[in-house]
């Protein structure tokens, strides 16, 4: 894994594209960003060798996370999004067909392809399956935050 390179000038066009895309996604999801500014919190490259994986996790402090896939050999890791409804496990019934994405699904997985860019709300648990390829699986992982400012017509706080 690399260090955080979110402020590196060489990736400015990619960063600009990601931030504009996140702004559009959040607006389409119904969030009020009239006084908000999206900004890149961190961005790093991950490389997974054979049998490497990434456990189930979320990204606290961010509003949107994402992945830009670079090298995705056959039989490499899959991106898995897990059901974010924690209380569903108490009444979870068996799925009729795990090949269909339904309200009964506990996870959905995607086969990454080079050049694929994926966005997800940061509260959505995700993981990567084990890389079964003897070639490296490589991607850029990023987190985006939102900073709000008071509107210019807001009353002064004393």
């Amino acid at each position: 894994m690399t260090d955080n390179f979110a402020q590196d000038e060489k990736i400015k066009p990619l960063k600009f594209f990601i931030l504009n895309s996140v702004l559009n996604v959040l607006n389409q999801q119904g969030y009020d960003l009239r006084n908000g500014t999206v900004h890149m919190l961190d961005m790093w490259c991950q490389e997974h060798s054979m049998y490497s994986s990434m456990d189930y996790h979320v990204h606290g402090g961010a509003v949107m996370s994402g992945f830009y896939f670079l090298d995705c050999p056959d039989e490499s890791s899959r991106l898995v999004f897990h059901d974010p409804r924690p209380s569903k496990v108490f009444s979870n019934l068996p799925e009729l067909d795990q090949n269909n994405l339904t309200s009964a699904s506990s996870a959905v997985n995607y086969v990454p392809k080079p050049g694929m860019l994926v966005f997800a709300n940061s509260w959505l648990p995700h993981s990567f399956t084990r890389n079964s390829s003897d070639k490296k699986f490589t991607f850029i992982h990023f987190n985006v935050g939102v900073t709000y400012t008071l509107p210019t017509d807001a009353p002064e706080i004393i």
Side-chain angles (χ1 to χ4, degrees):
M1 186 162 72
T2 66
D3 289 332
N4 180 6
F5 56 84
Q7 304 311 317
D8 190 321
E9 286 294 314
K10 292 180 270 187
I11 56 102
K12 198 171 186 177
L14 175 62
K15 181 176 155 181
F16 182 75
F17 180 79
I18 289 170
L19 291 175
N20 279 312
S21 298
V22 166
L23 183 62
N24 289 332
V25 169
L26 291 171
N27 278 320
Q28 289 175 4
Q29 289 179 335
Y31 292 103
D32 183 359
L33 295 172
R34 289 176 289 190
N35 295 313
T37 304
V38 294
H39 54 92
M40 191 68 68
L41 294 171
D42 36 38
M43 181 180 262
W44 65 100
C45 189
Q46 289 188 342
E47 187 175 83
H48 289 268
S49 300
M50 191 171 195
Y51 304 127
S52 177
S53 64
M54 184 189 304
D55 292 336
Y56 174 110
H57 68 283
V58 296
H59 292 273
V63 295
M64 189 73 61
S65 296
F67 314 91
Y68 180 55
F69 295 103
L70 303 172
D71 297 312
C72 310
D74 291 338
E75 305 302 318
S76 66
S77 301
R78 288 179 177 235
L79 170 60
V80 180
F81 290 110
H82 303 272
D83 191 336
R85 302 171 291 177
S87 57
K88 182 179 174 276
V89 298
F90 296 114
S91 61
N92 213 12
L93 300 172
E95 293 180 52
L96 179 63
D97 184 351
Q98 290 185 335
N99 293 315
N100 292 331
L101 183 58
T102 67
S103 294
S105 300
S106 59
V108 60
N109 70 77
Y110 295 92
V111 177
K113 300 289 181 203
M116 180 187 276
L117 183 60
V118 176
F119 298 95
N121 295 92
S122 295
W123 49 258
L124 185 61
H126 59 277
S127 63
F128 282 91
T129 62
R130 293 203 184 283
N131 179 10
S132 297
S133 173
D134 58 357
K135 296 178 182 150
K136 293 183 177 175
F137 170 58
T138 310
F139 60 95
I140 295 172
H141 200 345
F142 55 87
N143 291 311
V144 175
V146 174
T147 302
Y148 283 91
T149 56
L150 288 174
T152 55
D153 60 346
E156 187 175 334
I157 300 172
I158 299 178

